[in-house]
Amino acid sequence: MKAQPGARIESRTGDSKVMERIAGASPRHLARIAGGLYLIIIVGGFFAIGHVPAALVVPGDAAATAHNIQAHELLYRLGLAAHIIILPCNIPLAVIFYDLFKVVSRRLSLLVVFFTLVGTAVEGANVLNQFAPLTLLGGGHYLSVFFTEQLQALAYMPLDSQAISYNIQQVIYAGYLLAAGYLVFRSSFLPRVIGVLLAIGGLCYLTNSFATFLAPGFAAHLFPYIQVPSGVAELSLCLWLLVIGVNVSRWEKQASKASEPDQSVPGRAAV
């Protein structure tokens, strides 16, 4: 059905009002929205990546894992749904981070956005593989050519490789943590200690990922302890943004400095 001209005008007016509200939001309000999104990502990630696999996957036992998934299919599907909710939350979070930190460095803020979006795309591709066990164990007629043990082994494969997929995406998210940590440290409107924690968390991500790639036995001794600094860093940033926000007067002061022309290069604005 073709939309009426009046409906188009009304829709555009509504969109412009939403954009005006976003553009006119104070830095503290944006920070609290970012904190709320971050909290959804942290809680959803803990459930989807931490709790569900620990409850259902039996390491090295494809038959027991398949039985757990079939017996607790709703829990498995809830884990997938929680993971899918995380992915779109990353996008507005990246936009808000750019809006908040472009007063510190526009280029590094863009780098945070790119790391976030690429990491989200890789993570989304990894989630797609996690639907394979449901298909293989679903009992479709075309799967009757396989024996039960074969189907269980095939269903276990994407779960067994989940750790590798996770560590690949963590390499990208490590870049996000390092860039975000530097921005927070250089900013005057958030505590510098959070920036240091984020940078340490990024280094822990890199260490854990490359240890898994190069020396899995050694990496097994590091996990899950090496994840603690990253979790503390991201939770600290999340709660600070959600509860306290940013120091608006310092943010505005830094924004005014960023908008001043660079005196060292005539006619060039500072980045």
Side-chain angles (χ1 to χ4, degrees):
M1 181 178 178
K2 188 175 180 181
Q4 298 299 317
R8 293 181 187 174
I9 295 172
E10 184 179 352
S11 176
R12 291 175 184 173
T13 303
D15 292 343
S16 64
K17 287 181 179 179
V18 172
M19 294 304 296
E20 287 174 4
R21 288 178 183 175
I22 295 174
S26 69
R28 181 169 295 163
H29 184 58
L30 287 175
R32 285 177 174 163
I33 295 174
L37 291 169
Y38 223 140
L39 186 61
I40 293 172
I41 292 168
I42 291 173
V43 173
F46 176 78
F47 177 74
I49 302 173
H51 173 69
V52 173
L56 299 181
V57 178
V58 180
D61 194 332
T65 300
H67 173 75
N68 287 342
I69 293 175
Q70 289 175 313
H72 306 282
E73 183 176 336
L74 179 59
L75 177 62
Y76 188 82
R77 289 184 179 274
L78 285 173
L80 294 175
H83 210 149
I84 291 171
I85 290 172
I86 293 171
L87 300 179
C89 288
N90 283 336
I91 299 171
L93 181 62
V95 173
I96 293 174
F97 270 21
Y98 173 77
D99 211 28
L100 287 175
F101 291 106
K102 67 184 179 182
V103 300
V104 181
S105 171
R106 192 177 297 270
R107 289 192 180 98
L108 277 178
S109 298
L110 281 173
L111 194 62
V112 168
V113 172
F114 291 143
F115 273 129
T116 302
L117 296 182
V118 173
T120 301
V122 173
E123 189 173 0
N126 292 338
V127 173
L128 178 61
N129 291 330
Q130 305 311 309
F131 281 92
L134 293 174
T135 302
L136 291 166
L137 300 174
H141 178 70
Y142 62 94
L143 296 171
S144 60
V145 296
F146 296 101
F147 295 111
T148 300
E149 293 79 6
Q150 292 175 321
L151 289 173
Q152 291 172 344
L154 289 172
Y156 186 79
M157 285 180 63
L159 301 174
D160 191 35
S161 63
Q162 187 176 6
I164 297 298
S165 302
Y166 174 79
N167 282 288
I168 290 173
Q169 72 193 39
Q170 292 311 94
V171 171
I172 301 171
Y173 284 133
Y176 150 76
L177 286 179
L178 291 171
Y182 181 81
L183 287 170
V184 172
F185 185 82
R186 285 288 306 275
S187 72
S188 59
F189 47 85
L190 286 172
R192 285 190 166 188
V193 66
I194 294 180
V196 174
L197 289 173
L198 289 171
I200 294 173
L203 293 175
C204 287
Y205 272 164
L206 289 175
T207 301
N208 182 63
S209 294
F210 281 97
T212 303
F213 300 150
L214 301 174
F218 174 69
H221 295 293
L222 296 178
F223 189 85
Y225 311 106
I226 198 167
Q227 299 281 9
V228 173
S230 308
V232 171
E234 295 196 80
L235 185 60
S236 299
L237 178 60
C238 164
L239 294 179
W240 191 278
L241 291 173
L242 183 62
V243 178
I244 300 176
V246 299
N247 187 313
V248 177
S249 61
R250 291 183 179 180
W251 185 91
E252 290 174 345
K253 184 178 180 180
Q254 199 155 7
S256 63
K257 286 183 179 179
S259 62
E260 292 175 358
D262 189 351
Q263 300 299 326
S264 62
V265 182
R268 181 179 176 181
V271 176

